[in-house]
Amino acid sequence: MSGPVVANSAVADHLDRQILHALQLAPRVPFARLAAVLGVSEQTAARRYQRMRGEGIVRVFGEADAERTPGVTSWILRIAVRPGTAGALADALARRTDTSWITVDAGGAQLTCNVRIADEQRDAGLLHHLPRATNVLSLSAHQVLHRFVGRGEADWVVSESQLDLDQRRELLLGSPESMPAADPGPADADGPAGAGSPGSAGSAGSAGGAGGAGGAGSAGGAGGAGSTGSAGGPGGAGDAGGAVVEAGDRPLLAALAVDGRASYAALAQATGWTQRRVAHRLSALTASGAIRFDIDASVTRLGFRNVAHLWLTVAPADLAAVGSRLANHRQLAWAAAVTGSAALVANALCRDAAELYRYLTTEVAAIPEIRTCDTVPMLTRVKQAVSLVDNGVLRGPVT
């Protein structure tokens, strides 16, 4: 962001925002490491996180990555509706497990929604039935082809409170593959304040933003799913390099949607599996990229009052370069290449209309390859990646 985030200090102060930034970078980082990076006690880090989670400011979650799930593609839907019907349709869509990032836009005349479509649902799923709904005036569907990963995905959440380079390096010591695969050991114990500190020694997934139309980091493209190689099935370690999500993983995914920082003990209780089985399977799926971890965050409670979807037209020859450049804008929580006349879609988070105007007329305007920009302001957020949203506050996930 070009300036400090304006937020009520009772909602998120400097330390809170640093914790949020750290969780964007490493959602399952142990509280002990988080505390050491921030220079506070482990109890303070855990207590601050638990308070923000309890107040509906943040939720860490884990989910299947659409890019790594065979036969699944991600789409952004733009739905024009009859006057007065947007809220009811948005609520109905939000209760589905295959939808995310649902917003009411353009003064209540339009919805934006991300949906995951399995190959077997193409002729009978949401894309088939939604255009026939009586309150839907028109629908355009845009397949997400490629998500551009840059600093914006993690850095949107803070400005002056960002972790510096040394703190980032210390936070990200290790990798998802370093998660214990067999014996959870002492690290499986719940963290301070009942936080359910994970046993991972490092980050357990890519950071993603929390403000996207198609999802901030959640709307992956239809690209390379890993090959099925889990020899032991959902309960075994299998081939970590090729593990993919299977039907037997549903209990684990449901538990991770509720709490992506849950300990092996908590996940074992939720799934009915043994802790060893949970550790093996979670390690395999994380190492292969089949599961990703991220955060849902209440953007309004963090001071972002003007959120907009940007639909940008560029020439195919400029698509990769422009997308990569946009992904490093701190105002953009998410950017992706999509099908349709607007080849790029991004999600801007600003404090007010003046800041959005400055961003459009400076940083966006500075990219000559962008031909047009259709700016669609968000009126109401109804659902994020997994969490329902009520008056800007995160509520329970849909599982």
Side-chain angles (χ1 to χ4, degrees):
M1 292 292 172
S2 58
V5 173
V6 177
N8 188 326
S9 61
V11 173
D13 62 14
H14 175 81
L15 177 59
D16 291 334
R17 293 195 294 271
Q18 284 204 315
I19 291 173
L20 291 172
H21 193 209
L23 292 174
Q24 286 277 61
L25 297 167
R28 281 179 62 85
V29 63
F31 284 121
R33 177 179 295 172
L34 175 62
V37 169
L38 300 181
V40 299
S41 71
E42 184 175 351
Q43 290 75 15
T44 295
R47 185 175 63 251
R48 289 295 191 101
Y49 167 73
Q50 290 288 31
R51 178 185 64 80
M52 289 190 289
R53 186 173 187 269
E55 294 179 358
I57 297 174
V58 65
R59 176 188 302 278
V60 176
F61 65 89
E63 66 174 1
D65 190 334
E67 287 189 2
R68 305 299 182 97
T69 304
V72 175
T73 53
S74 183
W75 298 72
I76 301 174
L77 309 183
R78 301 181 72 178
I79 310 166
V81 297
R82 295 187 183 280
T85 65
L89 180 57
D91 289 341
L93 290 172
R95 296 292 173 180
R96 297 175 61 99
T97 58
D98 57 352
T99 62
S100 58
W101 301 106
I102 300 172
T103 59
V104 178
D105 309 318
Q110 177 179 300
L111 302 181
T112 302
C113 172
N114 176 261
V115 60
R116 295 183 178 189
I117 304 294
D119 286 348
E120 61 271 17
Q121 297 175 324
R122 285 182 180 269
D123 296 328
L126 190 60
L127 288 181
H128 177 76
H129 295 291
L130 195 56
R132 293 167 171 78
T134 57
N135 55 338
V136 173
L137 298 177
S138 66
L139 180 147
S140 61
H142 309 265
Q143 185 177 351
V144 180
L145 303 176
H146 178 77
R147 177 170 60 91
F148 294 100
V149 178
R151 290 193 61 177
E153 280 199 344
D155 291 355
W156 70 267
V157 76
V158 290
S159 54
E160 81 286 357
S161 302
Q162 287 183 35
L163 304 186
D164 60 34
L165 289 179
D166 288 339
Q167 287 176 309
R168 296 185 194 216
R169 292 191 190 100
E170 185 179 356
L171 184 76
L172 297 173
L173 286 174
S175 65
E177 288 80 358
S178 70
M179 292 181 66
D183 183 8
D188 188 62
D190 285 351
S197 175
S200 169
S203 163
S206 62
S218 68
S227 59
T228 303
S230 179
D239 177 6
V244 295
V245 172
E246 301 169 1
D249 295 316
R250 289 173 184 168
L252 179 61
L253 291 173
L256 291 173
V258 174
D259 185 4
R261 292 184 57 83
S263 66
Y264 291 138
L267 291 172
Q269 182 177 9
T271 59
W273 298 0
T274 65
Q275 290 188 43
R276 183 178 296 273
R277 180 181 177 185
V278 167
H280 270 292
R281 189 57 180 163
L282 187 56
S283 177
L285 291 171
T286 304
S288 71
I291 284 181
R292 56 180 291 279
F293 292 88
D294 203 344
I295 72 170
D296 274 345
S298 172
V299 295
T300 54
R301 299 199 71 194
L302 293 175
F304 300 101
R305 302 295 177 181
N306 272 74
V307 180
H309 312 303
L310 309 182
W311 295 85
L312 308 152
T313 57
V314 299
D318 300 319
L319 183 57
V322 173
S324 297
R325 185 170 174 180
L326 287 171
N328 284 317
H329 287 185
R330 289 176 185 167
Q331 293 86 346
L332 299 184
W334 185 81
V338 297
T339 58
S341 58
L344 277 169
V345 60
N347 296 279
L349 287 83
C350 298
R351 294 169 297 174
D352 50 36
E355 182 177 318
L356 178 60
Y357 174 78
R358 286 194 299 271
Y359 171 64
L360 293 174
T361 56
T362 56
E363 297 192 49
V364 175
I367 305 177
E369 294 83 3
I370 295 178
R371 296 175 176 176
T372 64
C373 176
D374 180 15
T375 304
V376 182
M378 183 198 78
L379 182 65
T380 305
R381 186 183 301 275
V382 180
K383 185 180 183 181
Q384 299 202 171
V386 298
S387 306
L388 299 175
V389 183
D390 180 15
N391 290 322
V393 176
L394 304 182
R395 302 303 185 190
V398 178
T399 59

